[in-house]
Amino acid sequence: MLKNCTWCGRVHSNTVRDLCLTCYEKEEEEFLSVYDCVRECPGLGLSEISEKTGVKVSHILKFVRQGRLNSHNLNMALTCEICKVITKMGRICEECRKRLERKMDE
């Protein structure tokens, strides 16, 4: 299946990622840069991390939503997309995740 890369718009055939290989590698470099920055300077805000690393705030938020970074180490509050309670990582809180799992098991 062919699709366009969400970063550069190039056509690629990867069905797993929304990025072409070149942009995926750039994203991984960005993640490592942000990860290192958070480890070296815990408690920085998103804009401060963005300034130090050159990584867009939206990309940093994506890493947090993916569960690759824990918002507890960042100076930010991440909210569950379902109930809006503050959560440490991912898109939904633990309680909503459990509730969805129970519904799927029914």
Side-chain angles (χ1 to χ4, degrees):
M1 181 171 133
L2 295 176
K3 59 184 176 179
N4 290 75
C5 173
T6 56
W7 278 17
C8 70
R10 280 185 250 147
V11 175
H12 67 102
S13 62
N14 191 323
T15 58
V16 178
R17 292 186 289 268
D18 57 350
L19 304 175
C20 67
L21 182 59
T22 302
C23 291
Y24 173 75
E25 289 170 351
K26 288 178 188 173
E27 182 183 54
E28 287 305 300
E29 289 174 15
E30 286 187 354
F31 171 74
L32 291 174
S33 176
V34 170
Y35 182 80
D36 289 342
C37 180
V38 170
R39 284 186 54 205
E40 292 169 11
C41 306
L44 290 180
L46 291 176
S47 59
E48 295 165 314
I49 294 169
S50 179
E51 282 180 29
K52 285 180 80 79
T53 62
V55 176
K56 293 179 181 179
V57 170
S58 61
H59 293 186
I60 299 169
L61 281 171
K62 180 180 176 182
F63 300 144
V64 175
R65 289 283 184 203
Q66 289 173 332
R68 297 177 75 186
L69 288 176
N70 189 327
S71 66
H72 180 69
N73 297 330
L74 306 173
N75 187 11
M76 66 172 285
L78 187 66
T79 57
C80 172
E81 292 182 2
I82 297 172
C83 70
K84 306 300 182 213
V85 72
I86 294 176
T87 184
K88 292 181 183 168
M89 62 191 298
R91 299 175 69 164
I92 59 174
C93 67
E94 187 68 19
E95 189 62 36
C96 288
R97 186 188 62 77
K98 287 178 184 177
R99 193 173 26 247
L100 288 171
E101 285 176 353
R102 283 192 301 270
K103 284 184 180 180
M104 292 182 74
D105 288 341
E106 293 175 355

